[in-house]
Amino acid sequence: MGICFSQVSKQFRRVRVLNKIDLDIDHGDRIALVGSNGAGKTTLIRCLLGEYNFQGKITVDGLEPGANRTEVLKHIGFVPQLSPPLKMPVGQLIKFAAGVCESKPERMVEICSQLGLDIKQIRHRPFNKLSGGQKQKLLISIALGRDTNLLVLDEPAANLDPEARHTFFQLLAEKQQHTAMIISSHRLDEVAALVNRVVELDQGDIVLNDHVADQINLNSVLACRLRLNRSSSAFAETIREWGFVDSEDGKVWQGEIAGPDRLRFLGVLSRYAALLKGIHLDENEEEGQADVKAHTA
């Protein structure tokens, strides 16, 4: 998979959103495409998908998405930030999506099940009547169920619960050796553990393009134990969403988090810094064990 952006510019009326972007993406690259809202991330993605006219040139394995859109899209799995307002029933949507890319609908249904979405219960329901989480799980299942060379994921896990996020990371791990990935987010800590390269956009320009350490196992799980100075109903409500259970009158909490979710989880804990008395994390990987321990006074 070779993707090349050459002097790509895009303008809406008098506002230039992309400014002569040069970028090459190779097989095995997992790119975090980051930047604030309005930086140009979604516009760059939509140019890649052949949805916008633009100045410059984009090629995917030598093919231009605008002129060869059907052929290019057959090998791209795309999860948009905003779900499309489709009225098509879920079962029909899966069959249609599988037919377009010559993939098996059973694989998409299987991934839905892994993410905790029972297709049998919603098969006849229109897509636009699903909840936000259901839509996200279905779109991820369609994208990952395809035989793809490139995954383009725009804020992919925004509406997923922690358990589904863990499954999502495991599914990405299955594809990381054979698929290039572009994962867009306005927050680097949301996707840092998933990628081996960071590209930052600011007002239509690339201001950072760098490779990063590629050491995190996407399948890893961290056992976590938290000690509090005192119990808190607000903390309890938040931490239960991560599947944690309490003991000692709400002052000690235990649970597991996905390794790639560590920064996001620590960000959640930072809101309750005054309550925390101790944090203990143990990361268990497929080969050996690495202890990640932090203690507060």
Side-chain angles (χ1 to χ4, degrees), residues 221-227 239 242 244 253-267 269 276 278-285 289-296:
V221 176
L222 290 89
C224 180
R225 187 173 185 268
L226 306 172
R227 290 187 296 121
I239 206 68
W242 287 79
F244 276 60
W253 293 84
Q254 297 185 82
E256 293 184 337
I257 60 172
D261 246 350
R262 68 188 70 194
L263 287 178
R264 184 170 183 266
F265 179 70
L266 291 174
L269 292 185
L276 291 168
I279 305 170
H280 186 104
L281 298 174
D282 281 325
E283 180 180 6
N284 300 316
E285 303 189 53
Q289 292 187 341
D291 287 346
V292 182
K293 301 179 181 178
H295 296 281
T296 62

Side-chain angles (χ1 to χ4, degrees), residues 97-246:
V100 168
C101 59
E102 300 175 356
S103 298
K104 295 180 179 180
E106 293 81 8
R107 174 58 178 157
M108 298 177 181
V109 172
E110 178 187 349
I111 294 176
C112 281
S113 179
Q114 290 178 261
L115 291 170
L117 184 62
D118 188 350
I119 291 298
K120 292 181 180 179
Q121 293 184 355
I122 61 172
R123 180 175 297 276
H124 302 293
R125 192 180 304 175
F127 177 81
N128 64 343
K129 298 298 183 181
L130 301 180
S131 68
Q134 289 174 326
K135 290 177 182 176
Q136 194 78 349
K137 290 176 181 179
L138 181 56
L139 291 173
I140 288 173
S141 299
I142 289 174
L144 299 186
R146 309 175 76 170
D147 184 16
T148 57
N149 295 323
L150 171 65
L151 284 172
V152 180
L153 311 171
D154 197 349
E155 302 281 3
N159 292 315
L160 298 183
D161 55 85
E163 185 175 352
R165 285 173 66 91
H166 186 194
T167 300
F168 173 60
F169 299 144
Q170 291 177 321
L171 291 166
L172 288 184
E174 294 175 5
K175 288 181 171 287
Q176 66 180 359
Q177 300 299 326
H178 313 287
T179 307
M181 301 181 192
I182 301 174
I183 305 175
S184 175
S185 178
H186 67 285
R187 292 181 54 181
L188 180 57
D189 64 342
E190 292 279 340
V191 296
L194 303 177
V195 302
N196 55 19
R197 189 174 167 192
V198 177
V199 174
E200 182 178 358
L201 286 175
D202 183 34
Q203 296 183 347
D205 290 304
I206 292 179
V207 295
L208 176 67
N209 182 4
D210 199 9
H211 287 81
V212 296
D214 188 14
Q215 297 176 331
I216 289 185
N217 179 354
L218 296 182
N219 287 310
S220 64
V221 176
L222 290 89
C224 180
R225 187 173 185 268
L226 306 172
R227 290 187 296 121
L228 307 184
N229 292 310
R230 58 179 175 82
S231 60
S232 164
S233 59
F235 181 85
E237 183 178 353
T238 298
I239 206 68
R240 283 195 180 106
E241 293 178 357
W242 287 79
F244 276 60
V245 295
D246 71 308

Side-chain angles (χ1 to χ4, degrees), residues 17-135:
V17 182
L18 297 176
N19 184 35
K20 296 182 178 179
I21 298 294
D22 288 319
L23 180 66
D24 292 322
I25 301 172
D26 299 319
H27 177 82
D29 280 345
R30 302 192 309 279
I31 292 179
L33 182 63
V34 298
S36 60
N37 291 332
K41 305 185 301 296
T42 299
T43 299
L44 187 70
I45 287 173
R46 296 201 177 278
C47 289
L48 171 62
L49 298 176
E51 296 182 13
Y52 288 158
N53 294 320
F54 55 88
Q55 293 78 48
K57 188 175 182 179
I58 299 176
T59 57
V60 180
D61 281 348
L63 298 176
E64 295 185 35
N68 305 275
R69 194 174 182 214
T70 300
E71 183 61 27
V72 169
L73 291 183
K74 278 184 180 180
H75 303 288
I76 296 179
F78 175 49
V79 179
Q81 180 180 6
L82 299 176
S83 300
L86 299 173
K87 297 181 180 179
M88 188 181 295
V90 169
Q92 185 179 342
L93 177 59
I94 291 175
K95 288 183 179 180
F96 173 78
V100 168
C101 59
E102 300 175 356
S103 298
K104 295 180 179 180
E106 293 81 8
R107 174 58 178 157
M108 298 177 181
V109 172
E110 178 187 349
I111 294 176
C112 281
S113 179
Q114 290 178 261
L115 291 170
L117 184 62
D118 188 350
I119 291 298
K120 292 181 180 179
Q121 293 184 355
I122 61 172
R123 180 175 297 276
H124 302 293
R125 192 180 304 175
F127 177 81
N128 64 343
K129 298 298 183 181
L130 301 180
S131 68
Q134 289 174 326
K135 290 177 182 176

